[in-house]
Amino acid sequence: MVCLPLNRGLLTPAEIKMKKTTLLALAGLSAASLLQAEQLDVEKDSLKFGFIKLTDCAPIVIAKEKGFFEAEGLSVEVIAQPNWKQLLDNVITGELDGAHMLSGQPIAATIGFGTKAHIVTPYTLDLNGNGITVSNEIWEGMQENDEKLQSDTPPHPITADSLKPIVDAAKDSGKKLPMGMVFPVSTHNYEIRYWLAAANINPGMYTSTDLKGFTGGDIELSTTPPPQMPATLESGKNVAYCVGEPWNQQAVAKGIGVPVVTNYDIWKNNPEKVFGVTKEWADENPNTLIAVTKALIKAGKWLDASEDGKLINREEACRILSQKNYVGADFDIIKNSMTGYFYFQKTDKREMPDFNVFFKYKASYPYYSDGVWFLTQMRRWGQITEPKPAEWYAETAKSVYLPDVYMKAAKMLIAEGSLTADEVPADDFDGYKPATSDFIDGISYDGKKPLEYLKSHKIGNKE
Amino acid sequence: MADTPKDKIKYGLLKFIDLSGFKVFDPPVRLAFGEDPKKQISEIGKFMILPIIFVSLCIFIWSAVAPTHKTKSGAAPTPKQVWGAWEDNSRFGEREDEKLEDYELSGEARTARITEVESRISELEAESLKLEEASTIAAEKGAAITAKQIAPLSAQLDELKAEIKTAKASRKIALENLAAKVAAGESPASSVLTLVQQQSETAEAEKEKRKILDDQIKEIRDNPPESIKAAQLAANKAADEIQHFKKRLDILNTSNKEVKKAALLAKVDTDEAILAASTDPSEIISKSKSIVTNTENAASVDEQRFAPTATIAWQTKRSLATVFVGFLIAAIVAIPVGIMCGLNKIVMACLTPIISIFRPVSPVVWLLIFQIVVGAFFLPDPAKHPLFTTLNQDYWFGWIKNPIAFLNTNPAMIFSACTVAMCALWPALVNTALGVSAIDKDHLNVARVLKLGFWARLFKIVIPSSLPLVFAGLRISLGVGWMVLIAAEALSSSDGLGKFVWDEYQNGSSQSFANIILACFIVGIIGFFLDRIMIILQRLVSFDDGSSTA
């Protein structure tokens, strides 16, 4: 007999009964976890997700490896992408169903900075997780300018104040210090700019004709793919860079640079990566999107599970991430930052329990206020060339972030008993985090008042 | 000499050796058949033993030099490490196969496998514990050694720091004193300038001294004893294996095909029971919905494929498929066009500018162009384009098993194949044109005398007599195509050996360098065999080389 693949819904009731009797014996304890999950009627069950080799792709990888996708009836392939641009292009062309994206990417794509496409996100993958590393030479210079840094364990956070004289000296001799970030609309770009600008160093502005963002800058900040960061630091192509893990720890391990500050110090618990799909895909596959979100929430929760303040699953997560088809860096390097510590120098290991936050603090909810913050940064540095009204900020954020999908997924998980109601925002939550001044320069940010926020900075567009 | 059966075998073998171009094996065969032993032994010595010694020497030099050549990702890998990388990659592939097998397993076999895996886990855990301990001890020892090495230096550094501090203070006083004297008119103003200059020079010298010490300390810290790393890697490897077996257990217990289906059907069963007894309308609706969904999902479990992971074996197959398609396109375009160029001077004149301009263009440029130009055909949704749905179907027309479904063809693969075709086109084209235009005039005259038509002339005279050069061109094309492919795959991230290399570069792990060199050998060896195949084909069609085609 020719073996035909079974089509959906072609089982006759008699067949089902027959299969049930033969298979029922199997469905004992072992299948308990599957029984719990209420599977959705997904539109598409074989999916391809893309990621970049950074530790914050963890929720996607964990959802696959720990079987959370499978529990939703999804068979997911997770494929490494060479760079952020190609990743976005692959999502737009449909080659990938969804991907690990920089928070700024869906927003920039939607408003048409760079490739234009309507991208939406129902899930924030993580908070924090980046660092700024400077070369050994610059670090020595900074130590000379600031006595306090001349120690194996200097006081943190380190501001760019001690960097300012070096930048000025270089500028006087006709040279702008070259620095690296990973993508024009990446969190890294905004973070290093924020850090520099907080110490009165102008990182340069984007204009309608200058898409590199060099105009009027004291330094030159350009794009470098994350894995090449340490190499550029060593070759002198960059003297500092802002990047995610494991590339800061890599610099410490190889002794070619010193991470001076993490983005946790620049802005406590800032949103980092999101899970993005095209609007079209989300409209065509609403149930699949909810199922994916469910699996991701479970993965996030698994990653942040702790006992007595110790993260219990992180070691296993590092083990999985160090596989060559995922992040592929050495286990020890990944472990350095993911298990609650961060090495600033070989001699300076600090506890940083919140260096990677995947779920706690209701982190994975897609907040409108996060979208607005990225929009304000795009305006501040001139990527958005025209001043916009406050309503535009709110509307744009609302067209990209999908808290409804997140809440639907969360409710189902609560009903299944794998989540509690206090782990996600309440039903009547409006999607805006309360105003905060947890920034390195202490300036307060309120997502509902983007225009006031723009005015409060010294450097950059003020409206 | 009459052909005895033995001779037949001998000459058969020799002919094959000659055909495949493995001339080195000629003397051993002759020796085995007892032909002029002295001469054969000397040939073997010259053309087999010496090359083997030379290659061994190269490997020896490599192993000796590699550990001393430090790079940013550690020392350069030795042959042993590259071999280790090969073993790790094979293990990685095996793991995927094991997972797939576990996913498909059912009934008794599954339960048996579970016990097997469980016992293996406990074995591994005991082993891992030991290694973990060894690693901790090694780390402690290593740290102690490093600390011991650093201690005197750091004491020296502290001393120096104190010295510098006092020197700085005394310099400051000296300068102030001098300034006071100048102010009082006791010294000339220029003396202050000299002193400031002197002092800045001494400060500079002090800084230098400090830097030397700093660097020494840093050097020691950056190069901890090798034993730490080795112990750590061993422990890591064991832990990785445990991780894998735990994943297998997970698959066997929960995500196995049969288990998944049983669970869903069991759920349908309970729901049916609830439905039958239910009096609550909203529950009736929700349960009915859930029954339908779960029944459907249970049915679709059968067609669900275990999501694959790229292994080096699969990537190699994909690369071969890509280069084959690209080469085929190149041949299909190059041979007819080349023949036309060879036959007609005007066609040649028309095409020469195009050939000369495009031939030197880099594959990278072609890839980017094809991504746009060919990509346009796959819009709006490449995943649903008939080309890919057809190529990736499990069954054609519902019953022919698709042999290339496993390749998972996608636009990136097509772009890479097009790039290969574009770069492989030129040698074949130019050689074909050359072959056709160099046909013996006598042959063409014969055709004229016989009044052969165009097609008869083409197939009876032109093609047969130009074939050797055509194949020589195709051989070069295949070589170029294979070389170009790796770059194209790396850039387009089409799964294959090129992506393997690129991913390893991005991984930046301690294994990456060894893996890249491994890929280098795989590419080289496959390229070698592809070339051999082309040589055989080339010899088979050659008329002029009497020795190879009797």
PDB file of all heavy atoms in Angstrom, chain A residues 6 26 39 53 65 70 75 93 95 247 254-255 325 327 346, chain B residues 72 110 218 222 247 255 297 302 305 309 382 410 504 506-507:
ATOM      1  N   LEU A   6      -1.362  11.575   6.280  1.00  0.00           N
ATOM      2  CA  LEU A   6      -2.720  11.802   6.763  1.00  0.00           C
ATOM      3  C   LEU A   6      -3.068  13.279   6.682  1.00  0.00           C
ATOM      4  O   LEU A   6      -2.268  14.130   7.040  1.00  0.00           O
ATOM      5  CB  LEU A   6      -2.826  11.351   8.214  1.00  0.00           C
ATOM      6  CG  LEU A   6      -3.159   9.879   8.384  1.00  0.00           C
ATOM      7  CD1 LEU A   6      -2.985   9.495   9.827  1.00  0.00           C
ATOM      8  CD2 LEU A   6      -4.573   9.601   7.925  1.00  0.00           C
ATOM      9  N   LEU A  26      -0.734   4.368  26.833  1.00  0.00           N
ATOM     10  CA  LEU A  26       0.494   5.148  26.863  1.00  0.00           C
ATOM     11  C   LEU A  26       0.346   6.474  27.596  1.00  0.00           C
ATOM     12  O   LEU A  26       1.294   7.032  28.118  1.00  0.00           O
ATOM     13  CB  LEU A  26       0.931   5.479  25.432  1.00  0.00           C
ATOM     14  CG  LEU A  26       1.700   4.408  24.714  1.00  0.00           C
ATOM     15  CD1 LEU A  26       1.742   4.745  23.254  1.00  0.00           C
ATOM     16  CD2 LEU A  26       3.096   4.351  25.296  1.00  0.00           C
ATOM     17  N   GLN A  39      -4.417  22.956  23.860  1.00  0.00           N
ATOM     18  CA  GLN A  39      -3.882  23.323  22.545  1.00  0.00           C
ATOM     19  C   GLN A  39      -4.879  24.162  21.757  1.00  0.00           C
ATOM     20  O   GLN A  39      -6.066  23.936  21.794  1.00  0.00           O
ATOM     21  CB  GLN A  39      -3.530  22.064  21.757  1.00  0.00           C
ATOM     22  CG  GLN A  39      -2.252  21.437  22.246  1.00  0.00           C
ATOM     23  CD  GLN A  39      -1.674  20.481  21.227  1.00  0.00           C
ATOM     24  OE1 GLN A  39      -2.225  20.264  20.169  1.00  0.00           O
ATOM     25  NE2 GLN A  39      -0.530  19.926  21.558  1.00  0.00           N
ATOM     26  N   LYS A  53      23.098  35.353  17.122  1.00  0.00           N
ATOM     27  CA  LYS A  53      23.853  34.661  18.157  1.00  0.00           C
ATOM     28  C   LYS A  53      24.168  35.559  19.342  1.00  0.00           C
ATOM     29  O   LYS A  53      25.268  36.074  19.477  1.00  0.00           O
ATOM     30  CB  LYS A  53      25.121  34.055  17.561  1.00  0.00           C
ATOM     31  CG  LYS A  53      24.824  32.869  16.657  1.00  0.00           C
ATOM     32  CD  LYS A  53      26.060  32.320  16.023  1.00  0.00           C
ATOM     33  CE  LYS A  53      25.775  31.100  15.174  1.00  0.00           C
ATOM     34  NZ  LYS A  53      25.635  29.863  15.945  1.00  0.00           N
ATOM     35  N   GLU A  65      13.840  23.930  23.000  1.00  0.00           N
ATOM     36  CA  GLU A  65      14.567  22.805  23.604  1.00  0.00           C
ATOM     37  C   GLU A  65      13.820  22.183  24.782  1.00  0.00           C
ATOM     38  O   GLU A  65      13.941  20.997  25.032  1.00  0.00           O
ATOM     39  CB  GLU A  65      15.963  23.256  24.044  1.00  0.00           C
ATOM     40  CG  GLU A  65      16.949  23.364  22.899  1.00  0.00           C
ATOM     41  CD  GLU A  65      17.337  22.011  22.313  1.00  0.00           C
ATOM     42  OE1 GLU A  65      17.575  21.074  23.100  1.00  0.00           O
ATOM     43  OE2 GLU A  65      17.386  21.898  21.076  1.00  0.00           O
ATOM     44  N   GLU A  70       6.373  22.499  21.455  1.00  0.00           N
ATOM     45  CA  GLU A  70       5.733  21.224  21.148  1.00  0.00           C
ATOM     46  C   GLU A  70       4.450  21.036  21.931  1.00  0.00           C
ATOM     47  O   GLU A  70       3.482  20.509  21.418  1.00  0.00           O
ATOM     48  CB  GLU A  70       6.698  20.073  21.430  1.00  0.00           C
ATOM     49  CG  GLU A  70       7.586  19.799  20.244  1.00  0.00           C
ATOM     50  CD  GLU A  70       8.615  18.740  20.541  1.00  0.00           C
ATOM     51  OE1 GLU A  70       8.955  18.564  21.715  1.00  0.00           O
ATOM     52  OE2 GLU A  70       9.073  18.097  19.583  1.00  0.00           O
ATOM     53  N   SER A  75       5.838  22.660  15.643  1.00  0.00           N
ATOM     54  CA  SER A  75       7.159  22.117  15.356  1.00  0.00           C
ATOM     55  C   SER A  75       7.996  23.278  14.830  1.00  0.00           C
ATOM     56  O   SER A  75       7.719  23.816  13.766  1.00  0.00           O
ATOM     57  CB  SER A  75       7.017  21.009  14.318  1.00  0.00           C
ATOM     58  OG  SER A  75       8.264  20.710  13.756  1.00  0.00           O
ATOM     59  N   THR A  93      10.112  38.750   3.824  1.00  0.00           N
ATOM     60  CA  THR A  93       9.818  37.939   2.639  1.00  0.00           C
ATOM     61  C   THR A  93       9.081  36.653   2.984  1.00  0.00           C
ATOM     62  O   THR A  93       8.623  35.956   2.097  1.00  0.00           O
ATOM     63  CB  THR A  93      11.102  37.524   1.893  1.00  0.00           C
ATOM     64  OG1 THR A  93      11.909  36.763   2.782  1.00  0.00           O
ATOM     65  CG2 THR A  93      11.873  38.714   1.389  1.00  0.00           C
ATOM     66  N   GLU A  95      10.392  34.075   4.515  1.00  0.00           N
ATOM     67  CA  GLU A  95      11.341  32.978   4.672  1.00  0.00           C
ATOM     68  C   GLU A  95      11.338  32.505   6.138  1.00  0.00           C
ATOM     69  O   GLU A  95      11.443  31.326   6.426  1.00  0.00           O
ATOM     70  CB  GLU A  95      12.730  33.479   4.260  1.00  0.00           C
ATOM     71  CG  GLU A  95      13.885  32.548   4.499  1.00  0.00           C
ATOM     72  CD  GLU A  95      13.829  31.325   3.620  1.00  0.00           C
ATOM     73  OE1 GLU A  95      13.210  31.411   2.545  1.00  0.00           O
ATOM     74  OE2 GLU A  95      14.390  30.292   4.024  1.00  0.00           O
ATOM     75  N   TRP A 247      29.629  39.141  24.012  1.00  0.00           N
ATOM     76  CA  TRP A 247      30.757  39.836  23.392  1.00  0.00           C
ATOM     77  C   TRP A 247      31.493  40.788  24.322  1.00  0.00           C
ATOM     78  O   TRP A 247      32.612  41.188  24.012  1.00  0.00           O
ATOM     79  CB  TRP A 247      30.323  40.519  22.097  1.00  0.00           C
ATOM     80  CG  TRP A 247      29.648  39.525  21.226  1.00  0.00           C
ATOM     81  CD1 TRP A 247      28.332  39.468  20.921  1.00  0.00           C
ATOM     82  CD2 TRP A 247      30.242  38.360  20.626  1.00  0.00           C
ATOM     83  NE1 TRP A 247      28.053  38.352  20.157  1.00  0.00           N
ATOM     84  CE2 TRP A 247      29.199  37.664  19.967  1.00  0.00           C
ATOM     85  CE3 TRP A 247      31.539  37.839  20.585  1.00  0.00           C
ATOM     86  CZ2 TRP A 247      29.429  36.475  19.273  1.00  0.00           C
ATOM     87  CZ3 TRP A 247      31.754  36.669  19.896  1.00  0.00           C
ATOM     88  CH2 TRP A 247      30.710  35.998  19.254  1.00  0.00           C
ATOM     89  N   LYS A 254      39.480  37.464  26.720  1.00  0.00           N
ATOM     90  CA  LYS A 254      40.633  37.538  25.833  1.00  0.00           C
ATOM     91  C   LYS A 254      41.579  38.672  26.220  1.00  0.00           C
ATOM     92  O   LYS A 254      42.623  38.850  25.594  1.00  0.00           O
ATOM     93  CB  LYS A 254      40.169  37.731  24.386  1.00  0.00           C
ATOM     94  CG  LYS A 254      39.520  36.489  23.826  1.00  0.00           C
ATOM     95  CD  LYS A 254      38.951  36.715  22.442  1.00  0.00           C
ATOM     96  CE  LYS A 254      38.255  35.455  21.950  1.00  0.00           C
ATOM     97  NZ  LYS A 254      37.429  35.738  20.765  1.00  0.00           N
ATOM     98  N   GLY A 255      41.177  39.446  27.214  1.00  0.00           N
ATOM     99  CA  GLY A 255      42.050  40.513  27.702  1.00  0.00           C
ATOM    100  C   GLY A 255      42.261  41.645  26.709  1.00  0.00           C
ATOM    101  O   GLY A 255      43.319  42.252  26.682  1.00  0.00           O
ATOM    102  N   ASN A 325      24.703  25.209  17.354  1.00  0.00           N
ATOM    103  CA  ASN A 325      23.640  25.693  16.482  1.00  0.00           C
ATOM    104  C   ASN A 325      22.854  26.848  17.112  1.00  0.00           C
ATOM    105  O   ASN A 325      22.032  27.463  16.465  1.00  0.00           O
ATOM    106  CB  ASN A 325      22.701  24.557  16.097  1.00  0.00           C
ATOM    107  CG  ASN A 325      22.252  23.760  17.292  1.00  0.00           C
ATOM    108  OD1 ASN A 325      22.985  23.638  18.268  1.00  0.00           O
ATOM    109  ND2 ASN A 325      21.051  23.240  17.257  1.00  0.00           N
ATOM    110  N   VAL A 327      23.838  29.867  20.368  1.00  0.00           N
ATOM    111  CA  VAL A 327      24.808  30.958  20.458  1.00  0.00           C
ATOM    112  C   VAL A 327      26.219  30.441  20.136  1.00  0.00           C
ATOM    113  O   VAL A 327      26.992  31.100  19.443  1.00  0.00           O
ATOM    114  CB  VAL A 327      24.778  31.606  21.856  1.00  0.00           C
ATOM    115  CG1 VAL A 327      25.815  32.708  21.950  1.00  0.00           C
ATOM    116  CG2 VAL A 327      23.398  32.181  22.111  1.00  0.00           C
ATOM    117  N   LYS A 346      39.042  40.968  34.864  1.00  0.00           N
ATOM    118  CA  LYS A 346      39.270  39.624  35.409  1.00  0.00           C
ATOM    119  C   LYS A 346      39.228  39.643  36.924  1.00  0.00           C
ATOM    120  O   LYS A 346      38.894  38.676  37.570  1.00  0.00           O
ATOM    121  CB  LYS A 346      40.627  39.087  34.925  1.00  0.00           C
ATOM    122  CG  LYS A 346      40.534  38.558  33.508  1.00  0.00           C
ATOM    123  CD  LYS A 346      41.554  37.466  33.244  1.00  0.00           C
ATOM    124  CE  LYS A 346      41.332  36.838  31.889  1.00  0.00           C
ATOM    125  NZ  LYS A 346      42.067  37.480  30.813  1.00  0.00           N
TER     126      LYS A 346
ATOM    127  N   LYS B  72      43.762  35.666  18.773  1.00  0.00           N
ATOM    128  CA  LYS B  72      42.821  36.227  19.734  1.00  0.00           C
ATOM    129  C   LYS B  72      41.841  35.188  20.269  1.00  0.00           C
ATOM    130  O   LYS B  72      41.224  35.397  21.293  1.00  0.00           O
ATOM    131  CB  LYS B  72      42.084  37.415  19.145  1.00  0.00           C
ATOM    132  CG  LYS B  72      41.291  37.091  17.917  1.00  0.00           C
ATOM    133  CD  LYS B  72      40.588  38.347  17.442  1.00  0.00           C
ATOM    134  CE  LYS B  72      39.647  38.072  16.306  1.00  0.00           C
ATOM    135  NZ  LYS B  72      40.298  37.666  15.082  1.00  0.00           N
ATOM    136  N   ARG B 110       9.992   1.920  22.672  1.00  0.00           N
ATOM    137  CA  ARG B 110      10.102   3.197  23.364  1.00  0.00           C
ATOM    138  C   ARG B 110      10.391   2.994  24.861  1.00  0.00           C
ATOM    139  O   ARG B 110      11.293   3.608  25.417  1.00  0.00           O
ATOM    140  CB  ARG B 110       8.820   4.011  23.184  1.00  0.00           C
ATOM    141  CG  ARG B 110       8.933   5.449  23.663  1.00  0.00           C
ATOM    142  CD  ARG B 110       7.632   6.174  23.467  1.00  0.00           C
ATOM    143  NE  ARG B 110       6.596   5.662  24.348  1.00  0.00           N
ATOM    144  CZ  ARG B 110       6.350   6.147  25.547  1.00  0.00           C
ATOM    145  NH1 ARG B 110       7.050   7.163  26.016  1.00  0.00           N
ATOM    146  NH2 ARG B 110       5.417   5.629  26.315  1.00  0.00           N
ATOM    147  N   LYS B 218      49.224  41.617  33.685  1.00  0.00           N
ATOM    148  CA  LYS B 218      48.120  41.335  32.766  1.00  0.00           C
ATOM    149  C   LYS B 218      48.422  40.083  31.944  1.00  0.00           C
ATOM    150  O   LYS B 218      47.545  39.229  31.744  1.00  0.00           O
ATOM    151  CB  LYS B 218      47.923  42.539  31.847  1.00  0.00           C
ATOM    152  CG  LYS B 218      46.643  42.501  31.071  1.00  0.00           C
ATOM    153  CD  LYS B 218      46.379  43.855  30.443  1.00  0.00           C
ATOM    154  CE  LYS B 218      45.232  43.801  29.456  1.00  0.00           C
ATOM    155  NZ  LYS B 218      45.395  42.951  28.337  1.00  0.00           N
ATOM    156  N   ASP B 222      46.134  36.875  31.764  1.00  0.00           N
ATOM    157  CA  ASP B 222      45.519  36.477  30.499  1.00  0.00           C
ATOM    158  C   ASP B 222      45.908  35.067  30.071  1.00  0.00           C
ATOM    159  O   ASP B 222      45.275  34.492  29.195  1.00  0.00           O
ATOM    160  CB  ASP B 222      45.901  37.453  29.379  1.00  0.00           C
ATOM    161  CG  ASP B 222      45.169  38.766  29.530  1.00  0.00           C
ATOM    162  OD1 ASP B 222      44.241  38.805  30.360  1.00  0.00           O
ATOM    163  OD2 ASP B 222      45.518  39.744  28.845  1.00  0.00           O
ATOM    164  N   LYS B 247      17.593  15.458  27.243  1.00  0.00           N
ATOM    165  CA  LYS B 247      16.701  15.905  26.165  1.00  0.00           C
ATOM    166  C   LYS B 247      16.047  14.693  25.508  1.00  0.00           C
ATOM    167  O   LYS B 247      14.857  14.704  25.199  1.00  0.00           O
ATOM    168  CB  LYS B 247      17.520  16.714  25.150  1.00  0.00           C
ATOM    169  CG  LYS B 247      16.803  17.083  23.881  1.00  0.00           C
ATOM    170  CD  LYS B 247      15.846  18.247  24.063  1.00  0.00           C
ATOM    171  CE  LYS B 247      14.971  18.420  22.825  1.00  0.00           C
ATOM    172  NZ  LYS B 247      13.813  19.241  23.040  1.00  0.00           N
ATOM    173  N   SER B 255       7.473  14.388  24.038  1.00  0.00           N
ATOM    174  CA  SER B 255       7.234  14.898  22.689  1.00  0.00           C
ATOM    175  C   SER B 255       7.295  13.812  21.626  1.00  0.00           C
ATOM    176  O   SER B 255       7.225  14.104  20.449  1.00  0.00           O
ATOM    177  CB  SER B 255       8.173  16.052  22.369  1.00  0.00           C
ATOM    178  OG  SER B 255       9.451  15.789  22.843  1.00  0.00           O
ATOM    179  N   ASN B 297      -5.639  18.137  15.784  1.00  0.00           N
ATOM    180  CA  ASN B 297      -4.219  18.189  16.110  1.00  0.00           C
ATOM    181  C   ASN B 297      -3.614  16.795  16.204  1.00  0.00           C
ATOM    182  O   ASN B 297      -2.489  16.575  15.775  1.00  0.00           O
ATOM    183  CB  ASN B 297      -4.000  18.932  17.431  1.00  0.00           C
ATOM    184  CG  ASN B 297      -4.184  20.436  17.252  1.00  0.00           C
ATOM    185  OD1 ASN B 297      -4.378  20.908  16.130  1.00  0.00           O
ATOM    186  ND2 ASN B 297      -4.133  21.175  18.333  1.00  0.00           N
ATOM    187  N   ASP B 302       0.781  13.103  12.807  1.00  0.00           N
ATOM    188  CA  ASP B 302       1.398  12.166  11.872  1.00  0.00           C
ATOM    189  C   ASP B 302       2.209  12.854  10.793  1.00  0.00           C
ATOM    190  O   ASP B 302       3.232  12.355  10.366  1.00  0.00           O
ATOM    191  CB  ASP B 302       0.318  11.304  11.216  1.00  0.00           C
ATOM    192  CG  ASP B 302      -0.114  10.188  12.141  1.00  0.00           C
ATOM    193  OD1 ASP B 302       0.749   9.731  12.911  1.00  0.00           O
ATOM    194  OD2 ASP B 302      -1.289   9.795  12.092  1.00  0.00           O
ATOM    195  N   ARG B 305       6.770  17.006  11.038  1.00  0.00           N
ATOM    196  CA  ARG B 305       8.148  16.528  10.965  1.00  0.00           C
ATOM    197  C   ARG B 305       8.895  17.003  12.198  1.00  0.00           C
ATOM    198  O   ARG B 305       8.633  18.086  12.708  1.00  0.00           O
ATOM    199  CB  ARG B 305       8.826  17.110   9.732  1.00  0.00           C
ATOM    200  CG  ARG B 305       8.861  16.126   8.579  1.00  0.00           C
ATOM    201  CD  ARG B 305       9.867  16.562   7.550  1.00  0.00           C
ATOM    202  NE  ARG B 305       9.287  17.476   6.584  1.00  0.00           N
ATOM    203  CZ  ARG B 305      10.010  18.090   5.648  1.00  0.00           C
ATOM    204  NH1 ARG B 305      11.315  17.908   5.577  1.00  0.00           N
ATOM    205  NH2 ARG B 305       9.437  18.906   4.787  1.00  0.00           N
ATOM    206  N   THR B 309      17.852  20.067  12.873  1.00  0.00           N
ATOM    207  CA  THR B 309      18.929  20.991  13.188  1.00  0.00           C
ATOM    208  C   THR B 309      20.023  20.761  12.148  1.00  0.00           C
ATOM    209  O   THR B 309      20.247  19.625  11.743  1.00  0.00           O
ATOM    210  CB  THR B 309      19.482  20.685  14.588  1.00  0.00           C
ATOM    211  OG1 THR B 309      18.416  20.819  15.517  1.00  0.00           O
ATOM    212  CG2 THR B 309      20.587  21.637  14.974  1.00  0.00           C
ATOM    213  N   PRO B 382       7.654  34.040  -0.718  1.00  0.00           N
ATOM    214  CA  PRO B 382       8.516  32.978  -1.257  1.00  0.00           C
ATOM    215  C   PRO B 382       8.172  31.609  -0.698  1.00  0.00           C
ATOM    216  O   PRO B 382       8.257  30.610  -1.410  1.00  0.00           O
ATOM    217  CB  PRO B 382       9.919  33.387  -0.819  1.00  0.00           C
ATOM    218  CG  PRO B 382       9.826  34.800  -0.420  1.00  0.00           C
ATOM    219  CD  PRO B 382       8.422  35.065  -0.009  1.00  0.00           C
ATOM    220  N   ASN B 410      15.254  26.780  -0.434  1.00  0.00           N
ATOM    221  CA  ASN B 410      14.694  28.107  -0.156  1.00  0.00           C
ATOM    222  C   ASN B 410      15.344  29.135  -1.081  1.00  0.00           C
ATOM    223  O   ASN B 410      16.299  28.809  -1.797  1.00  0.00           O
ATOM    224  CB  ASN B 410      14.884  28.467   1.319  1.00  0.00           C
ATOM    225  CG  ASN B 410      16.331  28.487   1.715  1.00  0.00           C
ATOM    226  OD1 ASN B 410      17.211  28.260   0.896  1.00  0.00           O
ATOM    227  ND2 ASN B 410      16.593  28.758   2.961  1.00  0.00           N
ATOM    228  N   GLU B 504      30.513  29.385  12.544  1.00  0.00           N
ATOM    229  CA  GLU B 504      31.613  29.112  13.468  1.00  0.00           C
ATOM    230  C   GLU B 504      32.362  30.394  13.775  1.00  0.00           C
ATOM    231  O   GLU B 504      32.729  30.660  14.918  1.00  0.00           O
ATOM    232  CB  GLU B 504      32.570  28.078  12.875  1.00  0.00           C
ATOM    233  CG  GLU B 504      32.098  26.645  13.034  1.00  0.00           C
ATOM    234  CD  GLU B 504      31.747  26.291  14.460  1.00  0.00           C
ATOM    235  OE1 GLU B 504      32.392  26.824  15.392  1.00  0.00           O
ATOM    236  OE2 GLU B 504      30.816  25.499  14.665  1.00  0.00           O
ATOM    237  N   GLN B 506      31.127  33.302  13.795  1.00  0.00           N
ATOM    238  CA  GLN B 506      30.290  34.096  14.687  1.00  0.00           C
ATOM    239  C   GLN B 506      30.256  33.521  16.095  1.00  0.00           C
ATOM    240  O   GLN B 506      30.098  34.267  17.056  1.00  0.00           O
ATOM    241  CB  GLN B 506      28.870  34.153  14.146  1.00  0.00           C
ATOM    242  CG  GLN B 506      28.789  34.845  12.811  1.00  0.00           C
ATOM    243  CD  GLN B 506      27.593  35.756  12.706  1.00  0.00           C
ATOM    244  OE1 GLN B 506      26.533  35.452  13.208  1.00  0.00           O
ATOM    245  NE2 GLN B 506      27.767  36.877  12.060  1.00  0.00           N
ATOM    246  N   ASN B 507      30.364  32.197  16.204  1.00  0.00           N
ATOM    247  CA  ASN B 507      30.333  31.583  17.530  1.00  0.00           C
ATOM    248  C   ASN B 507      31.477  32.086  18.393  1.00  0.00           C
ATOM    249  O   ASN B 507      31.309  32.340  19.566  1.00  0.00           O
ATOM    250  CB  ASN B 507      30.436  30.065  17.421  1.00  0.00           C
ATOM    251  CG  ASN B 507      29.137  29.440  16.996  1.00  0.00           C
ATOM    252  OD1 ASN B 507      28.121  30.111  16.978  1.00  0.00           O
ATOM    253  ND2 ASN B 507      29.170  28.175  16.663  1.00  0.00           N
TER     254      ASN B 507
END
